[in-house]
Amino acid sequence: MLIEEYVAMEKEYGANNYRPLDVVIERASGVWFYDTEGKRYLDCLAAYSAVNQGHCHPKIMAALIEQAQYVTLTSRAFRNVQLPLFYKELHDLTGFEMALPMNSGTEAVETALKAARKWGYQIKGIPENQAEIIVCSNNFHGRTISIVSFSTEEQYRHDFGPFLPGFKIIPFGDAEALRAAITPNTCAFLVEPIQGEAGIIIPPAGYLNEVASICREKNVLLMVDEIQSGLGRTGKLFAYMHDGITPDLVILGKALSGGYYPVSAVLSSKEILGLFHPGDHGSTFGGNPLACAVARAALCVLVEENLTERSAELGAFFLEKLSSIKSPLVESIRGRGLWIAIELTASARPLCEALKERGILCKETHDKVIRLAPPLTITQEEIAWAAEIIREVIEESSQAL
Ligand SMILES: *Cc1c(COP(=O)(O)O)cnc(C)c1O
């Protein structure tokens, strides 16, 4: 089939809730995508950081195929041989006492919200139905009605009301605003350590430290959404580790499966996750043996291939290469690990289109930001090549202005 035919079929029969670049991927390997015409593209999005381990990683694939031959789904009505090992390995890697597995990142966020409310009522003693959760403006935590209830993105909410009460929104990066917003009914503060969808917004130095100490002082749970920032992306296993804090609850998804399968989880203490009793919460697919086998392999690859360390080193290299680009089109370039934003003075979409023509796939976020987040398996040579192409495309576009 021709590229135009795939595009036309998708438009005809599918809901139009995305605006993809018109490139039709047929296969992928490591950091490279191949389209239906055999043209190759460097993946600089990594499925919003779900493919930190690189596409079609052979070790994760082997785990998937092997487990698929034994048993894929038991439901949690019965036990399976993979889930206990997944729990134990998550604990060993992260230090958190317990986990609760889900599928999509959004479901893990929902799980965290439920855990926080339960803790608020049962441990903190908040009066029934009075619990408040504080979040930040420009957050991205998912798309369900409860989660868009506290989004500040007008389009995410438009015509989806009525919304869920019990949330307070404060500016991101402002610890004093958190202190001021907390009431005796506040059970939790939910925050992305670095705001990804908002354009890789890094808060002021010391922000998370202050937030952590305010939460401790006021007996409020600190919940960090590491769905995009976690698992090596920023050059630490979790982005909160740059600040040396320990949150009460961590939300994981995306790279937890290396892109093979939706796997998410909430990590926390026995005090908090221990509040869930049979029937309180669940998911047919959550914790299924196929997901657990895939996630175990994905975590193993992350550690064995030193992907976190690679992200730190190669991210610094990439940022340095890009920082030398001088163009009136570039407002700022920032990043942490292999998570880099090029903020432009104009719309980023035409540059993404131009980069596609030159063999690099990335996606604009919030109109004026190009987000670069390649798989963490990318090599220094590939980065050097990409940085040159990006320089050329930006310089050519600046001239065209
Ligand atoms: C992607 C993402 C989510 C939602 O995850 P899904 O798997 O798309 O449901 C939530 N929070 C953050 C920070 C994300 O990047």
Side-chain angles (χ1 to χ4, degrees):
M1 251 162 62
L2 295 171
I3 289 175
E4 300 73 54
E5 293 175 295
Y6 284 108
V7 171
M9 192 183 285
E10 193 170 313
K11 284 189 173 157
E12 176 67 20
Y13 300 108
N16 188 30
N17 59 329
Y18 274 91
R19 186 155 82 104
L21 295 178
D22 285 335
V23 54
V24 181
I25 309 297
E26 192 167 65
R27 65 189 176 90
S29 174
V31 297
W32 296 98
F33 275 137
Y34 300 84
D35 74 6
T36 48
E37 293 169 351
K39 187 173 170 200
R40 123 181 151 148
Y41 303 86
L42 183 72
D43 178 10
C44 276
L45 182 63
Y48 306 95
S49 295
V51 197
N52 289 357
Q53 296 87 341
H55 290 278
C56 299
H57 193 290
K59 184 159 183 163
I60 311 175
M61 191 191 310
L64 177 98
I65 292 170
E66 167 137 342
Q67 186 59 39
Q69 295 170 339
Y70 287 105
V71 59
T72 57
L73 185 59
T74 53
S75 82
R76 297 285 305 279
F78 312 112
R79 299 185 192 272
N80 72 70
V81 296
Q82 288 289 341
L83 181 58
L85 300 172
F86 178 45
Y87 282 148
K88 174 71 164 56
E89 288 164 16
L90 264 179
H91 162 77
D92 290 346
L93 181 66
T94 68
F96 284 90
E97 288 174 344
M98 283 192 157
L100 196 164
M102 284 278 138
N103 312 286
S104 68
T106 303
E107 286 172 297
V109 172
E110 294 274 354
T111 302
L113 299 174
K114 282 179 153 184
R117 284 181 169 184
K118 220 178 228 322
W119 176 87
Y121 297 122
Q122 298 195 351
I123 306 292
K124 187 165 175 174
I126 296 171
E128 196 182 339
N129 290 328
Q130 299 297 307
E132 295 165 358
I133 294 174
I134 300 173
V135 301
C136 290
S137 50
N138 300 317
N139 69 71
F140 184 82
H141 298 290
R143 303 287 209 154
T144 53
I145 286 179
S146 52
I147 294 173
V148 299
S149 290
F150 54 84
S151 174
T152 55
E153 198 57 46
E154 195 36 52
Q155 199 196 349
Y156 293 180
R157 295 160 52 87
H158 186 69
D159 283 344
F160 293 131
F163 299 108
L164 193 69
F167 299 98
K168 255 193 201 170
I169 302 170
I170 60 168
F172 180 63
D174 182 348
E176 284 316 306
L178 173 65
R179 187 187 293 282
I182 291 173
T183 74
N185 291 343
T186 306
C187 60
F189 176 50
L190 170 65
V191 66
E192 298 158 86
I194 294 175
Q195 288 188 325
E197 291 311 296
I200 313 189
I201 309 296
I202 303 170
Y207 172 64
L208 280 186
N209 278 295
E210 275 183 66
V211 154
S213 74
I214 293 168
C215 285
R216 202 171 317 114
E217 182 193 323
K218 304 276 190 185
N219 196 25
V220 165
L221 299 180
L222 175 58
M223 313 203 290
V224 295
D225 182 342
E226 291 267 4
I227 291 171
Q228 194 167 154
S229 58
L231 300 174
R233 176 52 61 190
T234 67
K236 296 271 188 195
L237 181 63
F238 298 124
Y240 70 75
M241 291 175 166
H242 289 285
D243 298 83
I245 61 157
T246 306
D248 297 294
L249 196 148
V250 178
I251 308 166
L252 297 183
K254 296 203 165 107
L256 189 51
S257 69
Y260 271 90
Y261 200 87
V263 185
S264 65
V266 167
L267 310 178
S268 189
S269 61
K270 290 186 173 168
E271 188 199 0
I272 295 165
L273 288 182
L275 295 173
F276 283 109
H277 295 296
D280 284 349
H281 187 50
S283 159
T284 302
F285 279 83
N288 76 72
L290 188 62
C292 293
V294 164
R296 292 177 60 211
L299 290 176
C300 185
V301 166
L302 203 69
V303 173
E304 266 183 9
E305 299 187 11
N306 299 311
L307 294 183
T308 300
E309 295 76 11
R310 287 181 67 92
S311 176
E313 280 166 31
L314 294 170
F317 174 75
F318 204 171
L319 193 58
E320 186 197 309
K321 288 266 162 207
L322 294 170
S323 295
S324 67
I325 299 177
K326 294 279 171 276
S327 159
L329 208 56
V330 175
E331 175 76 38
S332 71
I333 300 185
R334 58 179 173 266
R336 195 159 276 176
L338 277 168
W339 211 26
I340 296 173
I342 305 178
E343 185 160 347
L344 303 173
T345 52
S347 167
R349 181 77 181 199
L351 275 190
C352 292
E353 301 276 2
L355 284 167
K356 181 194 101 176
E357 295 308 315
R358 304 287 298 271
I360 294 178
L361 290 186
C362 51
K363 186 70 169 52
E364 77 278 6
T365 176
H366 275 246
D367 202 40
K368 290 184 177 168
V369 177
I370 302 179
R371 165 177 33 196
L372 299 170
L376 308 181
T377 53
I378 193 170
T379 64
Q380 185 159 335
E381 294 69 44
E382 287 160 340
I383 289 175
W385 173 83
E388 269 322 295
I389 303 279
I390 293 167
R391 173 195 309 281
E392 286 170 26
V393 166
I394 289 179
E395 287 175 356
E396 283 160 21
S397 308
S398 322
Q399 279 161 14
L401 272 184

